[in-house]
Amino acid sequence: MNKARIRMGMIGGAEGAFIGAVHRIAARLDGLIDLVAGSFSSDPTRSQSTAAMLGIDPARCYDTYQDMFQEEAKLADDQRIDFVVIVTPNHLHFPIAKLAIESGFHVLSDKPATLNLQEARALQTLINNSDCLYGLTHTYTGYPMVKEARYRIAQGQLGAIRKVVVEYSQGWLTTQEDEAGKQAQWRLDPAKAGISCCIADIGVHAANLVEYVSGLTIEALCADLNHVVPGRTLDDDGTVLLRFDNGCKGVLLASQIALGEENNLNLRIYGDKGSLEWSQMEPNSLWLKSHNAPTTLLRAGVALQSEAARNALRTPAGHPEGYLEAFANIYVNFTKLIEAKKAGRAVNNHQFDVPGIEDAIRGMAFIENAVEASSKNTKWHTFKLDER
């Protein structure tokens, strides 16, 4: 039976942009989505060149995102885009998402959701007062073994959680020479990145992963953010002590000046019955440890207990799946959310395991709480969800 594909538009992600290409690969991996329109660059010539490369009708490549929403809204329901994906620098996330929602289009956004918490709160109000869906690409929640870890903790297999350690280390901003690239330039520019570089770029991923897997929420923190490379105004390294709502504590390490590191994301969670460990460098493995039994290595596709983990796999055991597939799982679940909405069913992001506006709020709050805490001499700071 033929099934109509969900139609996607893209803002940003011109030819040569890393994250735009990743989104396009993820969106088309399962054959559920067609990229049919876009405004790929603030340079119309570059945008048209990207559209030509992607085989998109030139008439549906727009000079500005404002033009795109205005013209797409005029099309018939079976032709216009169903949703827009935002893959621009941070400072553009809010205005684009705002206009998309006001124009009646669902939104899937790269993270962090906005430039600041105030914008995220405004976006939440817009979403709540609309009929539009919103998703956020916290990619690492898409890994099958992350979902398996989450399930086993929810089932009580680790017992009461006592300690959490999460690390995300990179080395791509180790020197001043590394600042020459476009990706580095905007991330180190407060006008485009916001009040943080490292914590906003990768620390927020680590914080989201901890809360997603453990089921706990951060209620207080103590932060020490650093500007290691001379001349930088935004952090490139940080350590954050965490206190969770069950009373347990943890530590979050994030660095972009850890020379030699690639995308070294590691999570360890310790309970009173057992512990687990997962690493993005070996994403198909999950280690389970206990006090009086042998350590167990769980492998993707082999005797998984979680339906969510099984559904996130595409190949038999022993065939590696990684970052692109995890990214694609966000797209698959967001597509299911849209299809359910089209069918007239009452839906929410939790049903379909899609990071949403609540995750956006907590992410922006984590960034602002960490930056403020780092500027103070007081040890612990209550995790606040209000704008500062």
Side-chain angles (χ1 to χ4, degrees), residues 317-340:
H319 294 76
E321 296 189 38
Y323 178 73
L324 294 174
E325 289 84 358
F327 220 117
N329 286 332
I330 303 291
Y331 272 91
V332 168
N333 290 345
F334 192 65
T335 298
K336 293 176 181 177
L337 189 60
I338 292 174
E339 289 174 339

Side-chain angles (χ1 to χ4, degrees), residues 101-173:
I101 292 165
E102 291 172 344
S103 302
F105 298 111
H106 305 307
V107 173
L108 186 64
S109 177
D110 210 31
K111 55 96 306 271
T114 54
L115 192 66
N116 53 54
L117 182 55
Q118 182 179 8
E119 288 184 347
R121 283 295 188 189
L123 183 59
Q124 182 182 44
T125 299
L126 282 168
I127 293 166
N128 291 343
N129 292 330
S130 77
D131 200 36
C132 293
L133 301 168
Y134 177 85
L136 193 65
T137 53
H138 271 301
T139 314
Y140 308 106
T141 66
Y143 280 105
M145 301 314 284
V146 165
K147 296 182 185 297
E148 181 73 7
R150 183 191 194 202
Y151 175 84
R152 288 177 180 258
I153 289 176
Q155 294 300 304
Q157 294 184 24
L158 267 60
I161 304 303
R162 289 176 162 177
K163 186 176 181 64
V164 175
V165 180
V166 63
E167 173 193 9
Y168 200 154
S169 295
Q170 300 172 332
W172 74 291
L173 290 177

Side-chain angles (χ1 to χ4, degrees), residues 38-345:
S39 178
F40 302 102
S41 172
S42 58
D43 178 353
T45 300
R46 189 161 179 248
S47 188
Q48 287 288 349
S49 173
T50 302
M53 176 193 73
L54 297 171
I56 293 172
D57 182 352
R60 298 183 74 176
C61 177
Y62 304 96
D63 289 351
T64 68
Y65 69 84
Q66 293 92 336
D67 290 343
M68 175 172 157
F69 296 142
Q70 179 178 319
E71 296 304 315
E72 288 291 315
K74 295 176 182 177
L75 300 177
D77 288 346
D78 62 350
Q79 294 181 333
R80 64 188 294 212
I81 59 172
D82 292 299
F83 77 101
V84 62
V85 59
I86 303 171
V87 290
T88 65
N90 301 349
H91 70 296
L92 294 172
H93 289 186
F94 175 70
I96 295 171
K98 178 178 183 293
L99 187 57
I101 292 165
E102 291 172 344
S103 302
F105 298 111
H106 305 307
V107 173
L108 186 64
S109 177
D110 210 31
K111 55 96 306 271
T114 54
L115 192 66
N116 53 54
L117 182 55
Q118 182 179 8
E119 288 184 347
R121 283 295 188 189
L123 183 59
Q124 182 182 44
T125 299
L126 282 168
I127 293 166
N128 291 343
N129 292 330
S130 77
D131 200 36
C132 293
L133 301 168
Y134 177 85
L136 193 65
T137 53
H138 271 301
T139 314
Y140 308 106
T141 66
Y143 280 105
M145 301 314 284
V146 165
K147 296 182 185 297
E148 181 73 7
R150 183 191 194 202
Y151 175 84
R152 288 177 180 258
I153 289 176
Q155 294 300 304
Q157 294 184 24
L158 267 60
I161 304 303
R162 289 176 162 177
K163 186 176 181 64
V164 175
V165 180
V166 63
E167 173 193 9
Y168 200 154
S169 295
Q170 300 172 332
W172 74 291
L173 290 177
T174 301
T175 69
Q176 289 181 331
E177 288 73 19
D178 296 325
E179 300 171 13
K182 183 178 179 180
Q183 295 297 318
Q185 288 175 2
W186 76 256
R187 283 179 170 83
L188 291 165
D189 180 357
K192 295 181 178 179
I195 61 174
S196 168
C197 175
C198 181
I199 291 299
D201 193 27
I202 60 175
V204 70
H205 269 312
N208 174 264
L209 182 66
V210 163
E211 293 194 334
Y212 178 82
V213 174
S214 71
L216 305 175
T217 56
I218 300 167
E219 69 168 19
L221 53 76
C222 171
D224 182 17
L225 309 187
N226 305 308
H227 310 72
V228 176
V229 177
R232 291 181 180 168
T233 58
L234 298 181
D235 56 285
D236 51 19
D237 175 80
T239 302
V240 185
L241 301 180
L242 306 170
R243 188 170 68 214
F244 295 91
D245 56 345
N246 74 336
C248 88
K249 294 182 180 179
V251 60
L252 183 154
L253 306 173
S255 183
Q256 292 170 314
I257 50 84
L259 194 150
E261 297 291 357
E262 298 170 3
N263 276 276
N264 191 12
L265 174 60
N266 299 292
L267 175 66
R268 300 195 299 276
I269 300 179
Y270 302 93
D272 62 3
K273 293 181 180 179
S275 66
L276 60 80
E277 181 175 357
W278 177 83
S279 171
Q280 188 187 218
M281 303 294 279
E282 294 288 342
N284 294 320
S285 297
L286 176 66
W287 290 95
L288 294 180
K289 305 175 184 180
S290 65
H291 190 52
N292 295 307
T295 295
T296 301
L297 172 62
L298 300 180
R299 292 284 292 163
V302 181
L304 301 183
Q305 296 180 0
S306 167
E307 181 180 359
R310 295 194 299 270
N311 289 342
L313 287 163
R314 292 170 180 79
T315 57
H319 294 76
E321 296 189 38
Y323 178 73
L324 294 174
E325 289 84 358
F327 220 117
N329 286 332
I330 303 291
Y331 272 91
V332 168
N333 290 345
F334 192 65
T335 298
K336 293 176 181 177
L337 189 60
I338 292 174
E339 289 174 339
K341 185 79 170 179
K342 284 187 172 185
R345 299 199 298 272

